[in-house]
Amino acid sequence: MSRSPNQQSVHLSVDGKDIELPVRRSTQGQRVIEIENLRKAGIFTYDPGFIATASCDSSITFVDGEQGILTYRGYPIEQLASHSSHLETCYLLFHGELPSATQLDEFTGSIRHHTLVHEHLVNFFRGFHADAHPMAMLCSAVGALSAFYHKTTDITDAEDRELSAMRLIAKIPTLAAMSYKHSIGQPYVYPDNSKDYASNFLYMMFSTPCESYHLDPAVAHAMDVLLLLHADHEQNASTSTVRLAASSGANPFACVSAGIASLWGPAHGGANEAALRMLMEIGDDKHIGKFIARAKDPDDPFRLMGFGHRIYKNHDPRARVMQQLCAQVLEAQGSSNSPLLRTARTLERIALEDDYFIKRKLYPNVDFYSGIILQALGVPTDMFTVIFAIGRTAGWVAHLNEMLGTDYRIGRPRQLYTGFTERDFVPLERREG
Ligand code: CMC
């Protein structure tokens, strides 16, 4: 690496030609080598899975995977989880600063104002099969929102972008609850805007027109913290999907719908559902050894769900908060002896002492304990990833706004072509077989 007075750079020699690549410093964390000059020299980099590639500048969220640090706009996740609320965190992610009391009031008021969805969306939901997965319905319903707000989705207009963001944050709990109600054949419940964000969501999920619904404030608090912990995680697969979709100029509802589709996969947001199913399948501590052995077997595709992370090579700080929250929720419900929690703790302890996991730096991630909490809150397994999506909407809209508010280009990765070289077309009658 060479150093000019103001800037560092690295030099590559390609076909005898020297190419200078500037090195850019981040405010915290790794430096990056800008590789645009390579294109002029007719060569590209190759990095499937983006293991070593930064795709953008961002000032929203910082993750240090080696140290196990996560901050939103500079604030440690542990402090936000203890002192903030999900909506305040949404404001922070979107606007960059914590709100004043008046700003928070206005923001909360605006979210409340937008909780209702167009009545025609009810017909849209009725078209889904009775046993449709709630994620399938959420993904489609969020995309369908573009059909209702076509005139206010000018992504070059900051006001339109903010309005779409407010609508997405406000309506996603309503749509999520509708997807649940549809899947169990109960009537959809309209939002009650006298309630806070998490309470309103729980009310739309669990109340019915025939009985009064008692909302436990401890449950609402746990749900709020859970949403906050999922609110953003820099350039993960779903956020990168949202950014890539938006880079073509697509509208925010379509982009967030694409993000939900990406989140659904078991390697990403679907892992909370898979982790709980795994813990239930283990059933008894005496079976843990068998599951650990399967996870270590290179010929078995099984992985310990809720374990490992592309970036964290240390404890996922969200998992630590989640573990504490889990213990609090179970204790408040008088089930601190929950067999699931016991199995999870034993599994974690055994894995963390095992050479296979130590060598590969595999630690519990955010999804390891979240399933146990959600189950304790009465949330069915099918809804786990939906709840992740409600939380992550905050990050998706913040990233959209950040990207669209600055200079950006359409995202267009290159490839290493491995197909045929040029050949002549063979008429049908001359083809063999
Ligand atoms: N159980 C067993 N082995 C594992 C696991 C696991 N959960 N995760 C990674 N490994 C092994 C993997 O087999 C590989 O071993 P080897 O070097 O011998 O081939 C090594 O560790 C590196 O794994 P990788 O697949 O190259 O790592 P990655 O960064 O591409 O994948 C991951 C990260 C999260 C997809 C992966 O750890 C995994 O599949 N975990 C289980 C699913 C999960 O919990 N996902 C939630 C992620 S956190 C929530 C979110 O942000 O969405």
Side-chain angles (χ1 to χ4, degrees):
M1 200 177 292
S2 66
R3 195 187 283 269
S4 62
N6 302 317
Q7 198 178 37
Q8 281 186 321
S9 58
V10 292
H11 290 259
L12 263 190
S13 175
V14 178
D15 300 331
K17 250 194 286 174
D18 177 71
I19 307 167
E20 182 173 9
L21 305 173
V23 175
R24 289 185 54 199
R25 285 184 178 282
S26 49
T27 50
Q28 198 177 4
Q30 270 113 345
R31 293 160 298 171
V32 300
I33 301 172
E34 254 186 53
I35 56 168
E36 201 175 336
N37 286 345
L38 290 179
R39 185 168 59 101
K40 295 176 200 147
I43 191 162
F44 301 118
T45 53
Y46 178 70
D47 182 20
F50 304 112
I51 306 275
T53 298
S55 61
C56 60
D57 288 38
S58 182
S59 59
I60 300 176
T61 289
F62 174 72
V63 180
D64 182 332
E66 295 297 328
Q67 304 291 323
I69 294 171
L70 167 64
T71 60
Y72 294 163
R73 301 287 191 184
Y75 296 102
I77 191 71
E78 296 83 355
Q79 290 185 24
L80 292 167
S82 301
H83 306 301
S84 186
S85 66
H86 180 61
L87 274 194
E88 185 180 57
T89 299
C90 289
Y91 183 100
L92 171 70
L93 288 168
F94 193 84
H95 292 288
E97 293 293 343
L98 286 168
S100 67
T102 314
Q103 286 167 330
L104 183 58
D105 225 39
E106 279 170 15
F107 184 77
T108 309
S110 170
I111 296 293
R112 286 207 166 115
H113 175 72
H114 288 293
T115 51
L116 207 58
V117 295
H118 197 289
E119 198 61 16
H120 287 184
L121 264 167
V122 173
N123 300 331
F124 187 83
F125 267 90
R126 291 213 168 104
F128 287 117
H129 201 272
D131 64 358
H133 194 288
M135 273 301 270
M137 293 186 263
L138 186 70
C139 187
S140 327
V142 168
L145 287 178
S146 5
F148 295 90
Y149 304 111
H150 196 63
K151 292 199 176 112
T152 45
T153 51
D154 175 2
I155 55 150
T156 62
D157 183 301
E159 274 180 33
D160 270 15
R161 286 205 302 272
E162 188 170 346
L163 180 58
S164 300
M166 296 296 102
R167 284 181 169 144
L168 277 158
I169 295 170
K171 291 180 200 305
I172 197 155
T174 313
L175 294 174
M178 285 172 83
S179 70
Y180 173 60
K181 288 298 197 189
H182 183 87
S183 71
I184 55 167
Q186 284 187 1
Y188 309 120
V189 175
Y190 288 113
D192 170 354
N193 289 346
S194 67
K195 296 184 169 28
D196 65 64
Y197 193 73
S199 303
N200 206 358
F201 169 59
L202 290 164
Y203 164 77
M204 288 187 280
M205 273 226 11
F206 294 123
S207 69
T208 63
C210 39
E211 280 171 2
S212 64
Y213 170 68
H214 168 70
L215 187 78
D216 180 348
V219 168
H221 172 72
M223 178 58 77
D224 198 66
V225 176
L226 203 129
L227 295 176
L228 181 156
L229 289 175
H230 284 96
D232 193 37
H233 209 237
E234 51 119 306
Q235 312 308 321
N236 55 84
S238 57
T239 303
S240 299
T241 302
V242 169
R243 278 185 176 257
L244 191 59
S247 76
S248 73
N251 76 71
F253 302 104
C255 298
V256 169
S257 168
I260 294 172
S262 167
L263 184 75
W264 195 359
H268 191 7
N272 49 17
E273 188 175 332
L276 188 78
R277 287 192 203 285
M278 178 191 73
L279 291 173
M280 293 198 293
E281 209 187 318
I282 293 175
D284 190 296
D285 288 9
K286 67 177 185 237
H287 301 307
I288 289 177
K290 215 167 51 194
F291 280 79
I292 297 262
R294 283 191 63 197
K296 289 159 57 174
D297 180 354
D299 298 324
D300 188 332
F302 173 77
R303 287 186 166 196
L304 276 195
M305 297 315 285
F307 249 79
H309 199 276
R310 169 61 59 79
I311 298 183
Y312 292 117
K313 302 304 168 198
N314 198 326
H315 280 278
D316 178 339
R318 301 168 300 174
R320 287 185 194 273
V321 180
M322 206 65 94
Q323 190 188 19
Q324 286 164 9
L325 188 66
C326 186
Q328 282 161 17
V329 167
L330 293 179
E331 198 181 316
Q333 299 191 340
S335 26
S336 19
N337 277 334
S338 144
L340 271 183
L341 181 61
R342 215 179 39 235
T343 303
R345 282 184 169 149
T346 315
L347 179 63
E348 176 181 353
R349 182 178 48 74
I350 294 175
L352 293 181
E353 287 167 359
D354 189 298
D355 252 12
Y356 174 94
F357 294 89
I358 294 171
K359 265 200 201 123
R360 290 168 181 74
K361 300 186 176 174
L362 301 170
Y363 290 85
N365 60 48
V366 68
D367 291 323
F368 192 64
Y369 286 100
S370 63
I372 307 179
I373 302 180
L374 288 169
Q375 196 198 43
L377 301 187
V379 176
T381 326
D382 275 1
M383 283 295 288
F384 288 5
T385 316
V386 167
I387 286 163
F388 192 153
I390 299 176
R392 187 54 58 86
T393 299
W396 292 329
V397 297
H399 281 272
L400 267 182
N401 194 49
E402 177 177 71
M403 188 186 95
L404 298 172
T406 51
D407 271 351
Y408 66 96
R409 286 174 169 166
I410 185 165
R412 177 46 169 102
R414 303 302 299 245
Q415 63 172 7
L416 177 70
Y417 177 67
T418 57
F420 288 107
T421 52
E422 191 172 315
R423 50 188 179 154
D424 287 327
F425 180 81
V426 182
L428 188 59
E429 62 281 8
R430 289 201 357 240
R431 285 178 225 160
E432 286 174 12

